[in-house]
Amino acid sequence: GHMRFGFPPLTPAVKWLLIINLAVFVLSSIPRIGQFFAEWFAVLGTKGSLNYSWQVWRYISYQFLHEGMMHILFNMLGLFFLGPVLERSWGTAKFAKFYLSCGAVGGIFFQFLCYAGLLGNGFMVLVGASGAILGMLAACAILFPQFVVFIIVFPVPIRIASIIFTVIYLANLIAGGDNAGGDAAHLAGMAAGAIYVFWMRYRLSDGVRIPWPRKKVEDIRVLHEEVDAVLDKVAKSGIASLSRREKNILKQATKLEQMKSQL
């Protein structure tokens, strides 16, 4: 495939996510506010206790807090380059839900590992959008394999980049290195992104609901033929002439086209 360079035009959700992340980062640099954010909006994990798990807003809010300049820089670059592609292909609402869900899965998995005593023994804090960013990386790697991402300065095909990140995070998690908790959230976010895309593909390949119980491919071929017949009838006699069954055929075809466009 060909390599793509150049900056993607910003899409609405990506623009707002960038603005909110940067605004929160600037506010956090004021010590009092930074401390308040960390206390009330980060994901907190403690061994053997799920004290904070009912504070469900944390699974979303922690994604907007960052520890240091490099942390926010890398995450926002990921959002800037990967986000618009997915948002354009899925629409704003679906993209925003996907992004926040991948991050939330990362936060929940981190908390579970803390609870099970698999991430150190003390009190641990998780912040950052990395789970969501890596969910997007996984989704783009599946949907747009022709993409090239830059790791430091080297152009790397997106699927290779995904594998490199996965190996690094897994190794660090198993070795219990610095930021093993963050890496757990990264891996969970990536897994959530990949599972979502595979599930969508599976649902769309198998989930075309057509009211005749024949084989799917056959169904779709028959549906196309019947749609042509119905459209001929509309052309000749107008839409009012259609029976309920013929209108249903058009509905099915519209649904099929919508599903295709979402892939």
Side-chain angles (χ1 to χ4, degrees):
H2 55 282
M3 290 193 176
R4 281 195 199 171
F5 295 104
F7 294 126
L10 277 185
T11 43
V14 170
K15 186 176 77 181
W16 278 108
L17 287 167
L18 286 166
I19 290 170
I20 297 167
N21 272 288
L22 292 166
V24 168
F25 185 69
V26 171
L27 281 172
S28 298
S29 65
I30 303 162
R32 272 232 165 117
I33 295 179
Q35 197 183 348
F36 172 75
F37 282 169
E39 272 174 31
W40 285 100
F41 299 110
V43 167
L44 308 175
T46 37
K47 184 180 175 181
S49 149
L50 287 172
N51 280 349
Y52 300 98
S53 57
W54 61 273
Q55 297 175 346
V56 287
W57 68 84
R58 291 179 184 272
Y59 301 127
I60 301 297
S61 60
Y62 93 96
Q63 302 176 41
F64 295 94
L65 304 176
H66 287 86
E67 191 67 60
M69 193 56 100
M70 294 315 281
H71 192 198
I72 191 165
L73 179 69
F74 281 116
N75 280 343
M76 294 307 99
L77 281 172
L79 175 57
F80 178 81
F81 283 110
L82 299 172
V85 195
L86 289 172
E87 187 174 348
R88 270 199 301 278
S89 126
W90 289 343
T92 295
K94 187 172 182 178
F95 165 74
K97 269 189 265 185
F98 170 82
Y99 175 93
L100 294 171
S101 301
C102 288
V105 168
I108 291 165
F109 186 60
F110 164 84
Q111 219 170 37
F112 170 74
L113 290 182
C114 288
Y115 169 74
L118 296 170
L119 287 178
N121 289 320
F123 176 75
M124 303 197 39
V125 179
L126 180 70
V127 293
S130 309
I133 304 299
L134 286 152
M136 292 195 304
L137 181 76
C140 286
I142 299 163
L143 296 170
F144 311 109
Q146 75 277 17
F147 260 51
V148 172
V149 293
F150 283 85
I151 297 182
I152 309 167
V153 289
F154 306 104
V156 183
I158 191 163
R159 287 188 171 173
I160 305 291
S162 301
I163 292 165
I164 292 170
F165 283 131
T166 304
V167 170
I168 292 171
Y169 296 145
L170 267 176
N172 194 39
L173 185 59
I174 292 162
D178 288 344
N179 197 30
D183 290 345
H186 295 162
L187 287 166
M190 278 183 99
I195 289 165
Y196 176 78
V197 173
F198 283 130
W199 175 75
M200 263 185 40
R201 284 195 157 176
Y202 166 76
R203 224 187 69 199
L204 297 187
S205 62
D206 189 51
V208 181
R209 299 276 170 259
I210 293 167
W212 301 279
R214 292 192 203 122
K215 279 277 155 281
K216 292 291 172 227
V217 177
E218 178 65 9
D219 282 351
I220 291 170
R221 196 184 55 72
V222 169
L223 181 64
H224 280 308
E225 285 172 8
E226 297 197 310
V227 167
D228 289 342
V230 172
L231 290 176
D232 282 346
K233 186 171 175 184
V234 170
K236 288 192 189 112
S237 333
I239 205 147
S241 67
L242 297 185
S243 69
R244 178 174 287 177
R245 183 175 171 280
E246 288 164 335
K247 283 180 184 157
N248 197 27
I249 289 168
L250 283 187
K251 257 196 202 132
Q252 291 290 338
T254 315
K255 224 188 206 160
L256 187 63
E257 284 311 311
Q258 280 170 345
M259 284 177 166
K260 279 192 202 154
S261 73
Q262 280 176 359
L263 262 184

